[in-house]
Amino acid sequence: MLKGKVALVTGSTSGIGLGIAHALAREGATVVLNGLGKADEIEATRAQLAADTGAEIGFIGADLSRADAVAELIAKIEAEHGRLDILVNNAGVQHVSPIEDFPPEKWDLIIALNLGAAFHAIRLAVPGMKQRGWGRIINVASAHALVASPFKSAYVASKHGVLGLTKTVALELAEHGVTANAICPGYVMTPLVQKQIPDTAKARGISEEEVVRDVLLASQATKRFVEVDELGALAAFLCTDGAASITGTALPVDGGWTAH
Ligand code: NAD
């Protein structure tokens, strides 16, 4: 279904990004992985994905908190593959802290990566998409693009920003065959969530078990974590022609969290 299309999934060396990369590769897209990590582990992930799906899978490492690195990444893909049809802005980090102790450098990093990298990748990918009259921009936002939680000021601000960016870009590209949507996951058990459990326990003065039960899954009506495959399935659907009129939306995949 996506044969001949070239996709970039940022932050796809683990977690949700890797799940989305799997789903797009299964549909036949050429997928460029990106993210941080150990070179040998990343190569093993890349090779496994290629073997599992039969798709062409590449990897380009780049620290996307830097605007120049985003520009190099997009330029490399267009030089190597001649096109970039599907852009999944997924790379993101979290930091949990009361606002008065929130380290300004963490604020800068989170805004630069979670929001700034999406802006830079979109602005650079759009000319080619417009020229070809087809494109899919999928921003992995969060339920935190729609609602807030305490102690996550930078993350919630960045994700609300991503949703605003998504809506704006969708309007600008609506007549060019390019859609832009924000997938808004609830909690998914990935390294990003595992890492925040101890800090959340500290910030709230509760145990780590209580964080999982009373904080993370408290609002998730399904009482289970969202699975990466569920997010991959939605991303793949958004790339079909059947989803051509879905644009400028926030699509919660949150087990009922934002229905409260
Ligand atoms: P993860 O930690 O498993 O993956 C994050 C990915 O981003 C990794 O591939 C990592 O190498 C990459 N990355 C980190 N810093 C980077 C940088 N400076 N440059 C390039 N790549 C970088 O996390 P995840 O949970 O899979 O998160 C993926 C996205 O989903 C994030 O945007 C996150 O905010 C969002 N999200 C996650 C959840 C959740 O519960 N896990 C919920 C809602 C939204």
Side-chain angles (χ1 to χ4, degrees), residues 11-17 34-36 62-65 90-93 113 140-142 155 159 185-188 190-193 195:
S12 47
T13 52
S14 77
I16 294 169
N34 154 265
L36 307 178
D63 175 357
L64 302 185
S65 62
N90 167 80
V93 288
L113 180 63
V140 179
S142 169
Y155 186 85
K159 295 298 185 179
Y187 284 104
V188 189
T190 66
L192 179 139
V193 167
K195 277 185 251 164

Side-chain angles (χ1 to χ4, degrees), residues 45-213:
T45 302
R46 191 207 61 76
Q48 186 67 51
L49 182 52
D52 287 350
T53 60
E56 184 183 343
I57 310 293
F59 169 77
I60 301 176
D63 175 357
L64 302 185
S65 62
R66 291 179 21 229
D68 60 332
V70 182
E72 269 173 42
L73 173 63
I74 303 294
K76 263 190 201 168
I77 294 170
E78 291 191 332
E80 271 176 36
H81 298 280
R83 57 199 298 134
L84 176 56
D85 306 290
I86 300 167
L87 169 64
V88 183
N89 289 304
N90 167 80
V93 288
Q94 171 65 286
H95 185 77
V96 179
S97 166
I99 186 91
E100 63 271 35
D101 301 328
F102 209 97
E105 61 279 11
K106 288 282 183 196
W107 169 274
D108 290 345
L109 170 67
I110 290 171
I111 298 299
L113 180 63
N114 297 15
L115 178 56
F119 161 71
H120 291 296
I122 291 169
R123 80 181 168 81
L124 295 163
V126 154
M129 291 179 176
K130 268 172 121 169
Q131 198 185 6
R132 288 183 295 275
W134 195 95
R136 292 290 186 265
I137 296 166
I138 299 172
N139 295 324
V140 179
S142 169
H144 281 127
L146 302 165
V147 295
S149 295
F151 313 120
K152 296 184 176 177
S153 50
Y155 186 85
V156 171
S158 74
K159 295 298 185 179
H160 276 64
V162 164
L163 183 51
L165 174 66
T166 306
K167 291 178 183 174
T168 307
V169 166
L171 294 180
E172 290 183 30
L173 299 174
E175 292 183 61
H176 294 274
V178 180
T179 68
N181 291 286
I183 296 182
C184 298
Y187 284 104
V188 189
M189 190 45 96
T190 66
L192 179 139
V193 167
Q194 276 151 5
K195 277 185 251 164
Q196 65 183 276
I197 292 175
D199 291 340
T200 304
K202 203 170 128 207
R204 291 177 181 253
I206 57 177
S207 71
E208 294 191 14
E209 294 69 37
E210 285 168 323
V211 170
V212 172
R213 193 192 61 220

